[in-house]
Amino acid sequence: MAFYTQHIRRGFCSSAVRSLAIKHVTIIGSGQMGAGIAQVAASTGHTVTLVDTSDDILKKAVKGIEGSLKRVVKKKFADKPEAGEEFIQKVLKNVSTSTDDGAAVQSTDLVLEAIVENLKIKQDLFGRLDKMAPAHTIFASNTSSLRISDIASSTSRLDKFGGLHFFNPVPMMKLVEVVATSATSQETFDSLLNFSKVLGKTSVSCKDTPGFIVNRLLVPYTMEAIRLHERGHGSKEDIDIAMKLGAGYPMGPFELSDYVGLDVIKFIMDGWNALEPDNPLFAQSELLNKLVAQGKFGRKTGEGFYKYK
Ligand code: CAA
């Protein structure tokens, strides 16, 4: 298959190829990931338009950004609270919001999508925006489990389409996975690498395969921890302690699942299970299915594997 032979680009390899300096970013989707990316982009001098379906959702997202900025500033400007407040105001000034995605892409360098993990919805979105965004605009998806080339297929800018995968919490996590499809141009890839660098992140180049590097390893590991618990090999608490103290992970697999969202984990697994039903790494978990069916998605709903105040 083509993607097994596609070479992984290591970045900045072609000195003759220019890269686009990304100054304005339009982020579609103002959930945890979209808002986090908006915060980091605005903090590093980019102007950002954050797009979602209602003003209420956007207000909540901007409030979240402000809260997160306060946490950042508490450390970064520990001795200079006034400079910290100034920084927050400067960053917030860089963020505007819109419920009109068509208008929001009319003058932008990068459209970054962080909406629901549904291929058809992502394809429809990009197909529509493709007709409204300027020719130079790069499109990127923050998908955690889908193939970029499948999402890009609804557009006519395959050379200007790539993947930029961030991690939660975006202001804290230092990695960005940069993904080129077989059609992504070197200029686009270099622009995405350069953008990640300007954001202060470290990037790795990934093949366009579901889950890229991190989720392809992290999600099956998390699922195996849940199945281990289901098989009676350990309590959630003990497994979490074991992986934190025995493997040096900052969170155990149950804490991390609650943090990421059980609905997100299940959605990723369901997609991969449909692709490879016989792969034991992608086997279903009754416990996970039950919690998701009960609306217990983790921290965001107040309960998942654990309860939160
Ligand atoms: N914004 C700003 N600062 C934050 C923050 C946020 N959202 N979250 C944490 N911080 C900073 C703050 O400075 C905080 O101090 P305060 O509480 O005083 O504000 C400091 O980090 C310490 O935070 P905590 O005390 O809450 O706990 P911690 O030391 O364990 O750090 C953590 C929190 C960074 C989240 C850490 O636990 C961690 O790295 N966890 C693993 C996260 C991870 O694996 N993420 C990847 C998930 S997979 C994914 O995202 C991909 C996908 O597609 C699903």
Side-chain angles (χ1 to χ4, degrees), residues 33 39 68-69 71-72 74-75 144 165-169 171-173 214-215 218 250-251 256 259-260 264 268:
M33 297 307 290
Q39 177 184 330
S68 176
L69 281 169
R71 295 175 79 178
V72 172
K74 209 168 68 183
K75 294 229 164 81
S144 42
H165 186 224
F166 292 81
F167 297 86
N168 193 17
M172 298 300 295
M173 303 305 283
V214 173
N215 280 348
L218 193 60
M251 290 175 167
L256 184 62
Y259 190 74
V260 169
V264 175
I268 294 173

Side-chain angles (χ1 to χ4, degrees), residues 163-200:
L164 270 186
H165 186 224
F166 292 81
F167 297 86
N168 193 17
V170 181
M172 298 300 295
M173 303 305 283
K174 295 186 171 63
L175 184 73
V176 179
E177 292 177 320
V178 182
V179 188
T181 73
S182 54
T184 307
S185 71
Q186 188 66 45
E187 180 180 354
T188 298
F189 185 66
D190 286 351
S191 304
L192 293 176
L193 279 177
N194 197 38
F195 176 62
S196 309
K197 196 173 168 194
V198 176
L199 293 184

Side-chain angles (χ1 to χ4, degrees), residues 47 93 116-117 147 160 164 168 190 231 285:
T47 49
K93 236 176 159 179
V116 64
E117 277 293 275
R147 277 211 294 163
K160 289 201 160 55
L164 270 186
N168 193 17
D190 286 351
R231 292 197 297 269
S285 147

Side-chain angles (χ1 to χ4, degrees), residues 80-298:
K80 303 180 208 145
E82 273 170 28
E85 185 51 37
E86 217 173 275
F87 176 74
I88 293 176
Q89 292 315 318
K90 199 172 140 198
V91 173
L92 289 175
K93 236 176 159 179
N94 282 342
V95 181
S96 59
T97 59
S98 172
T99 53
D100 183 345
D101 54 16
V105 302
Q106 269 166 23
S107 172
T108 192
D109 302 315
L110 172 68
V111 175
L112 181 48
E113 164 272 315
I115 62 169
V116 64
E117 277 293 275
N118 178 302
L119 180 60
K120 173 90 174 59
I121 294 175
K122 287 184 197 281
Q123 284 173 334
D124 287 351
L125 172 81
F126 278 119
R128 211 160 37 74
L129 299 184
D130 189 32
K131 298 181 182 74
M132 298 185 234
H136 83 275
T137 304
I138 294 175
F139 282 6
S141 174
N142 180 57
T143 180
S144 42
S145 63
L146 302 170
R147 277 211 294 163
I148 300 298
S149 49
D150 291 339
I151 301 171
S153 65
S154 63
T155 73
S156 59
R157 61 180 81 208
L158 301 183
D159 59 324
K160 289 201 160 55
F161 209 118
L164 270 186
H165 186 224
F166 292 81
F167 297 86
N168 193 17
V170 181
M172 298 300 295
M173 303 305 283
K174 295 186 171 63
L175 184 73
V176 179
E177 292 177 320
V178 182
V179 188
T181 73
S182 54
T184 307
S185 71
Q186 188 66 45
E187 180 180 354
T188 298
F189 185 66
D190 286 351
S191 304
L192 293 176
L193 279 177
N194 197 38
F195 176 62
S196 309
K197 196 173 168 194
V198 176
L199 293 184
K201 304 292 185 193
T202 298
S203 54
V204 289
S205 307
C206 299
K207 278 194 178 186
D208 185 21
T209 52
F212 313 125
I213 296 174
V214 173
N215 280 348
R216 180 60 184 76
L217 296 173
L218 193 60
V219 178
Y221 146 74
T222 303
M223 289 300 295
E224 187 53 14
I226 300 169
R227 289 189 293 257
L228 194 75
H229 170 57
E230 283 177 311
R231 292 197 297 269
H233 289 212
S235 69
K236 295 173 289 196
E237 291 80 2
D238 277 354
I239 295 172
D240 276 348
I241 290 170
M243 293 313 291
K244 283 190 286 188
L245 301 189
Y249 286 24
M251 290 175 167
F254 293 93
E255 288 172 318
L256 184 62
S257 303
D258 277 357
Y259 190 74
V260 169
L262 303 194
D263 53 332
V264 175
I265 304 276
K266 177 168 162 51
F267 203 91
I268 294 173
M269 283 313 295
D270 285 353
W272 293 355
N273 183 255
L275 285 177
E276 291 183 38
D278 297 329
N279 189 336
L281 290 175
F282 305 155
Q284 295 281 336
S285 147
E286 244 177 65
L287 176 58
L288 179 69
N289 289 349
K290 191 177 100 191
L291 290 170
V292 172
Q294 290 171 340
K296 294 175 180 170
F297 295 168

